[in-house]
Amino acid sequence: MVSHFLSLQFLLLLIILQCTTITTTVAQSLAPAPGPPGPTNITKILEKAGQFTTLIRLFEITKVGDQINTQLNNSKQGMTVFAPPDNAFSSLSAGTLNSLSDQQKDELVQFHVIPTFISMSQFQTLSNPLRTQAGDSTAYKFPLDITTSGNQVNLTTGVVSATVANAIYSDGSLAVYQVDKVLLPMSLFGPPAPAAAPAPESGNDKKKDKDDDSQSPSDDSASANSSDAVDLRRDLHGLMGGAIAFIAMFYL
């Protein structure tokens, strides 16, 4: 009797286990497949990393954040962002950001964005100056030079030198690197460009000046000779008039 009861319990346990397995398999088959990852969003990446509230606010004010997201999802070149944390912005002189116009804020943020994807290993093969989204990379505009020393990556703007602290994000399309300082471009924070040197005087101009100088004395001499001739004629007329008057006295 006991043996029969144990057999029933064992059979019941097998049935329960079989039902559990079937239920799990059916549930898995009915569960929706995971969808593709959503579009890359620079703001969400920085929010997840933390300590980038000032940069996020600038991305929102200038709409550069939306521009980055649009370019990432419509271009195959990828992008690279140098992200200064909040303490880097705090180290700027008081009122620095508030003193900038909307256009200058846009240029400052664009200066931190490279329109191509750059991996850590690629920093060693870049040519300077590196072109940023701010545009003109010539001196006194938006030059950005990158040098490497071992695994360290240094960035120089002509106004400030910064270092890449660490990689925040990289997916082969977008690379985000934390930098220890705000990248200040020459165009906004550097000294004014030196005034252009005057154009050298051409050989024709020098010859013309020399000819003018050589003609001036001749003109003065001609004027003097003309004046002397007038005085001489006046004296001759006076003498002739006196002689005629003297002769007439003897005939009257």
Side-chain angles (χ1 to χ4, degrees), residues 108-144:
L108 175 63
V109 177
Q110 297 278 17
F111 190 57
H112 289 72
V113 182
I114 312 299
T116 55
F117 173 82
I118 304 174
S119 65
M120 284 296 291
S121 61
Q122 289 175 320
F123 280 120
Q124 299 180 0
T125 62
L126 296 175
S127 298
N128 290 318
L130 189 63
R131 186 174 181 84
T132 69
Q133 287 279 85
D136 193 344
S137 59
T138 58
Y140 296 98
K141 289 295 183 179
F142 298 95
L144 180 62

Side-chain angles (χ1 to χ4, degrees), residues 138-195:
T138 58
Y140 296 98
K141 289 295 183 179
F142 298 95
L144 180 62
D145 291 342
I146 293 183
T147 58
T148 58
S149 177
N151 294 327
Q152 181 172 305
V153 179
N154 303 312
L155 302 93
T156 304
T157 71
V159 178
V160 66
S161 295
T163 301
V164 173
N166 62 283
I168 300 173
Y169 179 87
S170 179
D171 61 2
S173 178
L174 172 66
V176 183
Y177 299 102
Q178 179 177 331
V179 291
D180 62 347
K181 294 180 182 178
V182 179
L183 305 180
L184 304 178
M186 288 282 287
S187 177
L188 302 180
F189 300 94

Side-chain angles (χ1 to χ4, degrees), residues 34-232:
T40 304
N41 188 300
I42 182 64
T43 300
K44 291 182 178 179
I45 291 171
L46 293 175
E47 287 176 346
K48 184 177 180 179
Q51 66 179 341
F52 294 98
T53 55
T54 303
L55 182 59
I56 292 172
R57 180 167 57 85
L58 287 173
F59 275 148
E60 293 173 349
I61 292 174
T62 61
K63 306 300 181 184
V64 173
D66 294 338
Q67 176 187 335
I68 293 174
N69 295 334
T70 299
Q71 288 185 233
L72 282 173
N73 296 302
N74 293 280
S75 172
K76 296 182 180 180
Q77 292 184 331
M79 305 193 81
T80 300
V81 175
F82 296 115
D86 293 333
N87 59 11
F89 282 100
S90 299
S91 66
L92 297 175
S93 301
T96 296
L97 294 180
N98 292 333
S99 66
L100 300 178
S101 66
D102 290 342
Q103 179 179 346
Q104 290 172 330
K105 289 177 182 178
D106 182 80
E107 291 173 340
L108 175 63
V109 177
Q110 297 278 17
F111 190 57
H112 289 72
V113 182
I114 312 299
T116 55
F117 173 82
I118 304 174
S119 65
M120 284 296 291
S121 61
Q122 289 175 320
F123 280 120
Q124 299 180 0
T125 62
L126 296 175
S127 298
N128 290 318
L130 189 63
R131 186 174 181 84
T132 69
Q133 287 279 85
D136 193 344
S137 59
T138 58
Y140 296 98
K141 289 295 183 179
F142 298 95
L144 180 62
D145 291 342
I146 293 183
T147 58
T148 58
S149 177
N151 294 327
Q152 181 172 305
V153 179
N154 303 312
L155 302 93
T156 304
T157 71
V159 178
V160 66
S161 295
T163 301
V164 173
N166 62 283
I168 300 173
Y169 179 87
S170 179
D171 61 2
S173 178
L174 172 66
V176 183
Y177 299 102
Q178 179 177 331
V179 291
D180 62 347
K181 294 180 182 178
V182 179
L183 305 180
L184 304 178
M186 288 282 287
S187 177
L188 302 180
F189 300 94
E201 189 176 7
S202 66
N204 291 336
D205 292 338
K206 292 180 179 179
K207 184 176 183 300
K208 183 179 178 181
D209 293 341
K210 184 176 181 180
D211 292 343
D212 291 342
D213 293 341
S214 63
Q215 290 174 2
S216 296
S218 298
D219 293 341
D220 293 341
S221 299
S223 298
N225 293 336
S226 177
S227 178
D228 293 341
V230 171
D231 293 340
L232 180 59

